[in-house]
Every structure is written in structure tokens, then in C-alpha cells.
Amino acid sequence: MSVTSEDADPSGQRAAAHPAAANTQPNRVTFNRIELHRILNLYGRMVADGEWRDYAIDFLKDRAVFSVFRRASEVPIYRIEKDPRLARKQGMYSVISATGLILRRGHELERVLLVIDRKLAVV
């Protein structure tokens, strides 16, 4: 007995016809929930202090980048990058200034972000 198109669920037919299509999304590096929570906590404090005003998140094939802007029309003042290829070498997390200088690199996000926290704590 054949199933007619009226009786079948159309989403089930598409899934059966293209089983590999569901997993064809390219692999991208992303921040996990804990990392993003820590970065957004720092961002929120800096916005409250009036230091930062905007941000952008880019998930690329080789790295994830959280860019921080003082003004929306400027270049980012800091970039927080996660590059898993460097995990066994220098550490996958890094903070990069607007000039491209790597301020700190390491294996733990918490310690890498201290370079931004400490800079504003010293008065």
C-alpha cells in the first residue's frame, strides 16, 4: 500500500529524502554559554562605566571574535578571540588591541580578560 501526499507529513518526507542535509551546516567556532556569560558580564560593566558602547560577534570557521567598540562607527578598541588551533600552544584565548597588538594570550578566558579589567581598575 502506498502512502499518498495527503496522508504523509511533509517534513518527514523531506527529512527522509535528504538525511545528510540536516548536518551540512559548516563547522564554526563559537563561544560556549559560560564564555559568553563572562564576556557579556565584562561588557555590561564597561557600558555602565561609559567606556564601551557597542559590540559585534563573529563566528568564523577558524575562530570566534567578540569585538568591542567605543563608538559604533569606529574600529574595535578590543577583540576577544577564541582560536582552537592554538589551544595546545599559546592558548586559544587572546585579547587584541585596536592596533593589532596582542595584549594577552592564554588557556583560560578569565585570566586573559584580566588585562582589560586591570587597565581600568588602576587610577
Side-chain angles (χ1 to χ4, degrees), residues 9-22:
D9 180 23
S11 61
Q13 287 179 348
R14 275 190 233 119
H18 303 288

Side-chain angles (χ1 to χ4, degrees), residues 28-100:
R28 295 181 186 260
V29 178
T30 61
F31 293 108
N32 64 31
R33 181 183 295 204
I34 296 168
E35 294 164 343
L36 201 55
H37 178 68
R38 174 61 180 109
I39 293 170
L40 288 174
N41 275 344
L42 173 63
Y43 175 78
R45 283 198 318 265
M46 296 302 178
V47 167
D49 290 342
E51 296 289 326
W52 298 350
R53 297 192 72 166
D54 201 8
Y55 73 92
I57 301 176
D58 297 309
F59 298 130
L60 308 171
K61 285 188 176 187
D62 59 341
R63 67 185 190 274
V65 181
F66 186 94
S67 303
V68 177
F69 298 88
R70 184 161 294 155
R71 303 268 182 258
S73 62
E74 295 180 354
V75 297
I77 54 175
Y78 294 111
R79 288 189 337 253
I80 302 164
E81 292 191 2
K82 177 183 179 180
D83 190 348
R85 294 175 300 170
L86 301 174
R88 293 184 181 227
K89 297 177 183 175
Q90 303 138 340
M92 76 170 108
Y93 302 107
S94 59
V95 174
I96 303 169
S97 70
T99 60

Side-chain angles (χ1 to χ4, degrees), residues 5-26:
S5 62
E6 301 161 358
D7 297 333
D9 180 23
S11 61
Q13 287 179 348
R14 275 190 233 119
H18 303 288
N23 296 330
T24 58
Q25 183 177 3

